[in-house]
Amino acid sequence: MPAHRSQPTRREVLRGAAAAGVGIAFGSRILGSVAAHADTSDAPEYDVVVVGAGAAGMTAALVAAKRGLNTLVVEKAAKFGGSAARSGAGIWIPNNEVILAAGVPDTRAKAAAYLSAVVGSEVPADRQAAFLDNGPNMISFVMRNSPLRFRFMDGYSDYYPELPGGLANGRSIEPDMFDGNLLGAELANLNPAYIPVPNGQVVFSGDYKWLNLALVNVKGAAIALETYDRWLKAAAQGVKPLTMGQSLAGALRAGLLQAGVPVWLNTPLVDLRVDAGRVTGVLVTRNGTQTLIRAKYGVVVASGGFEHNGEMRNRYQQQPIGTDWTVGASSNTGDGIAAGLAAGAEVALMDDSWWGPVIPLPDEPYFCLSERTLPGSIIVNQQGVRFVNEAAPYSDVVHVMYEKNAAAPDIPAWMVVDQNYRNRYLFKDLVPTLPFPDKWYSNGTLVRSSTISGLAAKMGVPAAALQNTITRFNGFALKGKDLDFKRGDSAYDHYYTDPAVLPNSCLAPLWLPPFYAFKIVPGDLGTKGGMVTDAKARVLSPSGVVIPGLYAAGNSSAAVMGHSYAGAGSTIGPAMTFGYIAANHIADNR
């Protein structure tokens, strides 16, 4: 029996006995051996302990501290910020003060209609309402209690703008520039960006739409020049400019510094302490020793998903799956979810993730966002046939990949482009016309040929089928109407496209050799499943009973978006909101 628990349940005893007998590993936690050497003497006590220093955890900690609660954040990784720090940091929060000030015609009623249409009945109405009611307040709170500021991502459409309440001009916001100097020595502990902003530029997420087009679009060229101008102004003022996820995580951490909240890095969660059915603390490893930290009023688990835990992915998710295709933070191995399960939590949505098509480049997977949407590209399966609207929301593309893979294999699929596409558009961080790196070819991620038949041979697909597919698609492009998959019918489809391409900015023929094909696999921004929570972010048991003292937010909890994805920032927006809700509930009921 774990030494740190009092009154263990029969289920826990059986789990421990089974694990001790056969050595079953659950994530990074070995059942039955937890806390055998824990130091519980003189255990420190805080009012609230937050597990995880990502966007959800730092928001929860900031709220708790500002509500007068003595708060500690423990973080497994050597850096703070988690996946949020790596991201573009779009944040989907309807009806918030930033978008209203920008003139977005949003209302609570519109947002409710849209979220209900997107999510459906699989997410309880009270949780949807809690997100909508608290999201705007959360945005206002962090702006008034940290250096974090936001800007409207003008034109970044909701993902399903044609649904009731959807907005074609979007609801998403992103962090404004943050001065990294405000972090002092803590700046060195910020988790680095997934794709760093080039030196000498200050780039926002909203800029990438135009930077992709800088060679062929006047506004794109102007935005490119503006990114340099911003950097020059920042340098003249002695500012260390951070944007996107770096700004989000950095500004939240600065807020915690101002509020006097300690963040213990290199401090992984081992288990939750449970006394008489209530979660009363956490067991962590600190400086090589398992140490108990007591939580007087509550524990908020915001330690991310399980995208880097191969055993859990194999247990819960569809095949093929693995840990090599995710762009989530490497520390996300499901530790918080595992501890919650051991404490009696129910879990849901474990089969799902924040999916997106990924190109498995040799150094790291590349989340393919704009590249598959720009005109002059198609995605085909292993028969050389299109099977999806390439410009659809990225999560939908992967859902289709899994749905169709058994009958017509499309994992991996291939994205095919021509030299005209390469000459016009930024690809990842490669400016137009430059050759693709040799190592992309050598590891099989990319193939090239001067003919369609030669390309098909290198892809391993039937040449006639690929030629017919391209010929048919080229006809659609010339007429401006995709009769097979309706690419370009939704306003969302046109966000990452080329306004100069007519009659449909999503569609351009593939005609100029050489031709290229990139391998496409089902990647993700992180897993979507986790502990089931109520409208107050309290963790529930399988019978729907609240587990006292235990809260969850972010990817440690089952997503309020269900199996869908409302708009850019549907991961971070709800994560921060339910962190905010959890801390306020603890403060209100202390």
Side-chain angles (χ1 to χ4, degrees):
M1 177 191 322
H4 71 289
R5 290 182 184 270
S6 62
Q7 299 184 6
T9 65
R10 179 176 181 272
R11 178 185 181 191
E12 291 167 336
V13 172
L14 290 174
R15 280 186 170 184
V22 299
I24 300 173
F26 195 99
S28 62
R29 178 174 179 270
I30 308 299
L31 301 181
S33 65
V34 174
H37 305 289
D39 178 7
T40 60
S41 63
D42 300 321
E45 182 177 74
Y46 290 82
D47 292 335
V48 178
V49 177
V50 177
V51 182
M58 288 195 287
T59 301
L62 184 63
V63 174
K66 290 296 182 177
R67 292 293 305 272
L69 297 169
N70 186 21
T71 304
L72 170 69
V73 179
V74 295
E75 167 58 50
K76 173 184 180 179
K79 306 284 186 180
F80 70 86
S83 293
R86 290 169 52 79
S87 74
I91 297 172
W92 196 82
I93 298 287
N95 206 34
N96 70 74
E97 65 174 86
V98 178
I99 66 173
L100 295 179
V104 176
D106 202 9
T107 66
R108 170 67 167 73
K110 284 183 182 178
Y114 177 67
L115 187 63
S116 177
V118 170
V119 174
S121 60
E122 67 180 334
V123 175
D126 63 341
R127 284 196 73 217
Q128 296 182 42
F131 167 62
L132 296 173
D133 292 338
N134 287 277
N137 296 333
M138 179 275 293
I139 292 295
S140 299
F141 172 86
V142 296
M143 287 198 296
R144 285 154 181 74
N145 291 278
S146 77
L148 186 57
R149 300 294 180 267
F150 299 99
R151 45 194 282 148
F152 174 47
M153 299 178 74
D154 190 11
Y156 205 144
S157 171
D158 286 341
Y159 287 176
Y160 309 97
E162 292 77 27
L163 291 178
L167 297 181
N169 206 39
R171 294 176 162 98
S172 299
I173 60 176
E174 64 170 311
D176 209 339
M177 188 176 69
F178 167 68
D179 182 3
N181 291 320
L182 297 177
L183 285 171
E186 275 298 289
L187 180 59
N189 293 326
L190 175 60
N191 203 25
Y194 165 52
I195 300 179
V197 173
N199 291 330
Q201 291 180 268
V202 175
V203 179
F204 296 104
S205 280
D207 294 335
Y208 278 108
K209 166 186 171 69
W210 298 107
L211 293 178
N212 290 327
L213 308 173
L215 195 67
V216 294
N217 182 278
V218 172
K219 184 172 181 178
I223 293 292
L225 290 174
E226 186 178 335
T227 67
Y228 294 105
D229 185 55
R230 292 178 195 143
W231 183 86
L232 290 172
K233 289 179 179 178
Q237 296 169 3
V239 169
K240 172 71 173 176
L242 301 179
T243 58
M244 296 180 281
Q246 297 290 279
S247 174
L248 175 65
L252 286 172
R253 182 69 183 93
L256 295 183
L257 285 171
Q258 294 167 3
V261 177
V263 177
W264 292 358
L265 302 176
N266 296 301
T267 307
L269 174 70
V270 177
D271 205 353
L272 297 166
R273 179 183 175 95
V274 181
D275 289 301
R278 180 182 181 85
V279 173
T280 59
V282 297
L283 185 71
V284 299
T285 300
R286 181 160 172 79
N287 299 323
T289 302
Q290 287 190 357
T291 303
L292 174 67
I293 306 168
R294 301 181 190 277
K296 185 175 181 180
Y297 298 119
V299 172
V300 182
V301 177
S303 53
F306 58 91
E307 56 266 26
H308 284 282
N309 185 318
E311 189 276 333
M312 289 181 74
R313 298 207 82 154
N314 287 330
R315 178 185 304 185
Y316 292 111
Q317 301 196 315
Q318 299 180 69
Q319 295 295 328
I321 197 67
T323 60
D324 296 334
W325 299 338
T326 181
V327 300
S330 60
S331 56
N332 292 343
T333 55
D335 305 354
I337 299 171
L341 279 166
E346 175 67 301
V347 292
L349 300 176
M350 299 290 280
D351 61 326
D352 212 347
S353 293
W354 302 98
W355 301 115
V358 157
I359 300 173
L361 297 179
D363 296 328
E364 63 178 350
Y366 177 65
F367 199 85
C368 191
L369 187 58
S370 62
E371 291 82 2
R372 64 188 168 80
T373 300
L374 285 163
S377 67
I378 61 172
I379 296 178
V380 300
N381 62 18
Q382 293 171 22
Q383 282 74 49
V385 177
R386 290 179 70 215
F387 61 92
V388 70
N389 169 11
E390 296 89 347
Y394 36 89
S395 190
D396 287 354
V397 173
V398 172
H399 279 139
V400 172
M401 289 179 74
Y402 275 120
E403 289 166 7
K404 295 189 174 182
N405 185 58
D410 54 37
I411 301 176
W414 294 92
M415 183 175 75
V416 181
V417 304
D418 70 347
Q419 188 61 42
N420 181 55
Y421 175 101
R422 174 80 284 256
N423 290 344
R424 294 178 65 86
Y425 308 126
L426 184 74
F427 194 101
K428 191 176 180 283
D429 53 358
L430 298 175
V431 298
T433 74
L434 290 183
F436 294 116
D438 290 341
K439 60 184 177 181
W440 293 11
Y441 295 98
S442 61
N443 86 324
T445 296
L446 173 63
V447 295
R448 167 185 167 174
S449 178
S450 60
T451 66
I452 298 298
S453 60
L455 189 72
K458 292 182 177 180
M459 295 164 62
V461 306
L466 182 61
Q467 182 64 70
N468 290 339
T469 295
I470 292 175
T471 299
R472 181 173 176 81
F473 179 81
N474 288 352
F476 293 158
L478 293 173
K479 293 180 180 179
K481 188 71 173 177
D482 176 10
L483 298 180
D484 287 341
F485 298 101
K486 301 182 179 181
R487 177 171 170 180
D489 283 11
S490 171
Y492 170 78
D493 294 0
H494 291 268
Y495 182 70
Y496 285 112
T497 55
D498 184 348
V501 173
L502 298 173
N504 187 327
S505 68
C506 281
L507 305 174
L510 287 70
W511 60 273
L512 182 64
F515 302 95
Y516 306 86
F518 295 84
K519 192 172 291 185
I520 297 287
V521 295
D524 61 75
L525 301 169
T527 50
K528 184 180 273 193
M531 289 176 275
V532 174
T533 58
D534 66 6
K536 303 297 184 183
R538 298 176 296 185
V539 175
L540 304 178
S541 72
S543 60
V545 175
V546 169
I547 299 176
L550 183 59
Y551 298 77
N555 288 351
S556 295
S557 63
V560 73
M561 292 293 160
H563 287 291
S564 197
Y565 211 135
S570 291
T571 307
I572 296 177
M576 295 176 70
T577 299
F578 281 98
Y580 172 87
I581 290 170
N584 275 317
H585 188 266
I586 294 170
D588 290 341
N589 293 274
R590 71 184 91 178

